[in-house]
Amino acid sequence: MAITKLECVTVEKQDGITWVMLNRPEKRNAMSPQLHYEMDETLRDLETDPETKVVVIGGNGGYFSAGQDLKMFFRENEKNPAGRKRAAEAANRWRWERLYKYDKPTIAMVEGYCVGGAFMQLLGTDFAIAAEDTVFSLSEVNWGILPGALVSKVVADAVLPRHALYYCCLGEAFDGKEAERIGMINFAVPKKKLRAETIKLAKKLMEKSPAVLRATKHAVRQVRTMDFDQSYDYLAAKGQAIKVGDPEDSYNTGLKQFLDEKAYKPTFQSFKTKDGGASKPAKGKKPLAKKSKVKSA
Ligand code: COA
C-alpha cells in the first residue's frame, strides 16, 4: 500500500539535489520498520523523478543514524516473524539493492552518529562526506550480535581486512578522519562546512552526462566481482549501450567539442551538454577559446 504521508523521512528538492533525511532525531535517527518502508518508497519514486539529479542521504537534527531501532526493529518484532521479515526486506532493499544499483548519483552526508545498521546506507551510496567529529561505531559486538544483514559483508568489501576485523570485533568508536583514512568515506570536513562540501560534490556530478555517469558507476561496482574476461565483455557491452541509449550522444558530442570546436579539455572538465546545464568550466578557469593553451591543474 502506498504511503501517503511521510513521518520518519523528509524530502527537500533544490537545484537538482534532493535531500532525503531520516527524521527521528529524538531517537538519533534509529531506523524503525516504518522508517524503512518510507525510505524504500521514497527512493523508488525519486529514481525516476525528473527534478532529482543527485540524491543526498542524511539525517535530521545533526545525526546520520544510530542504526536499527533496537526496540522497534528488533525486540518488538521478535514474536512477529512476518513483521520482522517484511521490515527486513524493506530495510535491506533501500539500504543496499536500491542504493547499490541506483540510476542517479547518491551521496551520504554523515554527521553525529553513524552506528551499526547505518553502515549499509553509508556504503550503499556512491560517495560519502562526513563531519570530522562524527562518531562511527560497529557497535553490534558490544550488545551481543554480529554486524548482520549485510553490514559485515559491505564493511569487509569496503576496507582492508585488518580494519574490518578491528572495528567489527572491537566495536570501538572512530571519528571522521579515521573513517577517511581507512577508506570508509571519501573525505571528512569540519562540521560547519559539511553541507557546502556536499553541495559542491553534487554540483560536480551534475556537470557530467547523466547517461555516462550512470553507466560508469554501475560498471565500477559490477566489475568488482568479475574476472578479466567477464570485465572485458561487460564493459564493451556497457560502452555500446551508452552510445545507443544516450540522449546527449555524449561520445560524439565530446569528441566534436574537443577535436573540432576546441571548446574544452576533457582532462579538466566535462563537455557541454545540450541543455547547457553541465560542463561549467572549473573554478578559476575560463572556457577555452580556440587553440588556447591550458596549464595542468
Ligand atoms: N535503537 C533504539 N533507540 C535508540 C537507538 C537505537 N539504535 N539509539 C538511540 N536510541 C534512543 C535512546 O534509547 C533514547 O531514547 P529515550 O529518549 O526514549 O530514552 C534516545 O534515542 C536518545 O539516545 P541517548 O542514548 O540518550 O542519546 P546520546 O546522544 O547520549 O547517545 C548513542 C547516542 C547513539 C551513542 C546511543 O544512543 C547508543 O549507543 N545507541 C545505540 C546505537 C547502536 O548500538 N545501534 C546499533 C543498532 S544496529
Side-chain angles (χ1 to χ4, degrees):
M1 200 172 64
I3 294 165
T4 47
K5 188 170 174 290
L6 295 176
E7 287 172 10
C8 302
V9 175
T10 60
V11 177
E12 187 200 329
K13 299 181 191 179
Q14 200 174 18
D15 303 329
I17 307 173
T18 299
W19 303 82
V20 180
M21 309 297 271
L22 307 195
N23 190 36
R24 301 184 70 223
E26 72 288 354
K27 300 289 181 193
R28 308 299 182 256
N29 293 319
M31 297 178 285
S32 62
Q34 186 186 344
L35 181 146
H36 289 306
Y37 300 134
E38 292 185 14
M39 280 301 285
D40 192 33
E41 283 205 17
T42 299
L43 288 178
R44 182 200 63 198
D45 294 349
L46 292 175
E47 198 165 16
T48 51
D49 168 40
E51 277 178 70
T52 299
K53 311 289 183 209
V54 174
V55 170
V56 175
I57 310 266
N60 286 331
Y63 308 107
F64 185 64
S65 172
Q68 294 290 19
D69 189 305
L70 297 168
K71 181 162 170 268
M72 299 178 89
F73 187 87
F74 287 114
R75 186 189 274 171
E76 287 179 0
N77 262 334
E78 259 161 31
K79 296 204 172 76
N80 177 11
R84 174 74 182 270
K85 185 167 165 51
R86 188 167 166 255
E89 279 174 357
N92 295 340
R93 193 164 46 234
W94 81 261
R95 292 177 305 161
W96 200 252
E97 278 78 33
R98 285 202 195 288
L99 285 178
Y100 195 79
K101 297 180 193 158
Y102 215 61
D103 275 346
K104 294 174 178 173
T106 55
I107 304 173
M109 185 176 77
V110 189
E111 58 192 318
Y113 298 111
C114 174
V115 186
F119 278 76
M120 271 182 63
Q121 65 258 37
L122 175 76
L123 295 167
T125 46
D126 301 319
F127 309 95
I129 305 179
E132 287 167 346
D133 63 357
T134 303
V135 175
F136 292 84
S137 168
L138 287 151
S139 67
E140 287 88 338
V141 71
N142 292 334
W143 57 274
I145 64 164
L146 53 72
L150 283 181
V151 175
S152 293
K153 164 76 176 150
V154 299
V155 168
D157 276 356
V159 300
L160 291 171
R162 290 211 188 277
H163 297 314
L165 283 166
Y166 187 90
Y167 286 112
C168 288
C169 292
L170 292 170
E172 224 168 66
F174 54 100
D175 66 9
K177 280 283 176 202
E178 173 69 353
E180 177 184 317
R181 187 186 73 82
I182 66 175
M184 199 75 91
I185 60 169
N186 291 97
F187 41 89
V189 298
K191 193 174 168 76
K192 61 177 188 300
K193 292 191 175 166
L194 181 63
R195 193 175 165 96
E197 289 294 329
T198 305
I199 292 172
K200 201 160 119 189
L201 175 58
K203 284 186 172 165
K204 283 189 198 170
L205 291 164
M206 286 192 281
E207 289 176 0
K208 310 295 176 200
S209 153
V212 179
L213 185 59
R214 177 165 57 246
T216 304
K217 69 178 215 134
H218 287 166
V220 171
R221 297 242 200 216
Q222 296 299 337
V223 294
R224 290 194 74 245
T225 52
M226 292 181 197
D227 64 25
F228 286 96
D229 284 340
Q230 291 166 334
S231 300
Y232 273 130
D233 257 6
Y234 173 87
L235 293 171
K238 201 80 174 165
Q240 286 302 323
I242 302 176
K243 287 186 192 165
V244 175
D246 175 10
E248 300 281 352
D249 190 15
S250 302
Y251 173 73
N252 289 312
T253 308
L255 285 186
K256 186 165 148 249
Q257 289 181 12
F258 177 65
L259 294 174
D260 305 329
E261 298 168 6
K262 310 276 184 205
Y264 87 120
K265 301 258 187 215
T267 307
F268 306 115
Q269 61 195 108
S270 305
F271 71 85
K272 290 177 181 52
T273 55
K274 282 177 197 145
D275 67 5
S279 185
K280 296 200 182 69
K283 211 177 164 196
K285 290 193 184 89
K286 291 188 178 144
L288 297 174
K290 218 174 172 182
K291 288 188 184 155
S292 68
K293 294 242 178 336
V294 173
K295 288 186 182 148
S296 330

